[in-house]
Amino acid sequence: MQMMSDAKDGLIDIIIVKKYDRFADTKKLIDRLIDADDVLFGYIQEKISELHAKKNEYEKQLLLIERKVKKIDTKPLLEPLNRWDELTMEEKNALAKVMIDRIDVTDEEGIKIHFIF
């Protein structure tokens, strides 16, 4: 399981670096716009559009990786949830621990529960 996590982290790192590289390339092109003639301006605009599309593709890949990590099988939870009123306090606590990722308590937003799925 650790090897899958390491591979996923490595893939995320690669995608982030590629995304940053596209951003840096775009910035260099934008800096050159100031001195560009019409032909160079058109080329730079085209290249910036390509780089922007690639950056968006990398962002989608990152989202897909994050979704795969969060994906869990919720079917085993349905039966206990359907008979919630019949569960003991210990069973309810155990079920809550399986379902809840974290709970934030702040003055601004109050209580915010983040579920695992």
Side-chain angles (χ1 to χ4, degrees):
M1 192 63 120
Q2 180 64 30
M3 287 175 56
M4 278 189 71
S5 178
D6 290 344
K8 176 190 65 78
D9 290 343
L11 182 59
I12 289 173
D13 291 343
I14 289 168
I15 292 171
I16 289 172
V17 167
K18 286 182 176 181
K19 181 181 161 191
Y20 177 77
D21 287 346
R22 297 305 74 82
F23 174 77
D25 292 345
T26 302
K27 184 177 178 337
K28 287 177 194 173
L29 290 171
I30 290 172
D31 290 343
R32 292 189 62 194
L33 280 174
I34 296 168
D35 299 322
D37 61 12
D38 290 343
V39 174
L40 184 57
F41 185 81
Y43 169 77
I44 291 173
Q45 279 188 307
E46 182 180 318
K47 195 67 177 167
I48 288 173
S49 294
E50 291 173 15
L51 291 169
H52 183 71
K54 198 68 173 165
K55 180 190 74 83
N56 287 341
E57 183 181 316
Y58 293 139
E59 288 175 349
K60 286 178 187 176
Q61 289 175 357
L62 288 171
L63 285 174
L64 287 174
I65 290 171
E66 290 173 7
R67 284 185 189 146
K68 287 179 184 174
V69 170
K70 292 276 187 177
K71 190 174 184 179
I72 65 166
D73 183 15
T74 58
K75 289 180 185 174
L77 301 174
L78 294 178
E79 190 270 327
L81 287 173
N82 286 335
R83 55 182 197 87
W84 181 261
D85 292 335
E86 302 167 13
L87 298 178
T88 66
M89 187 56 70
E90 291 81 20
E91 291 170 323
K92 289 178 181 179
N93 285 337
L95 189 57
K97 287 178 183 178
V98 170
M99 295 174 49
I100 296 173
D101 181 38
R102 74 176 195 275
I103 300 173
D104 297 333
V105 181
T106 63
D107 290 335
E108 298 81 28
E109 296 183 26
I111 299 172
K112 195 172 188 180
I113 300 173
H114 301 269
F115 292 93
I116 291 175
F117 43 88

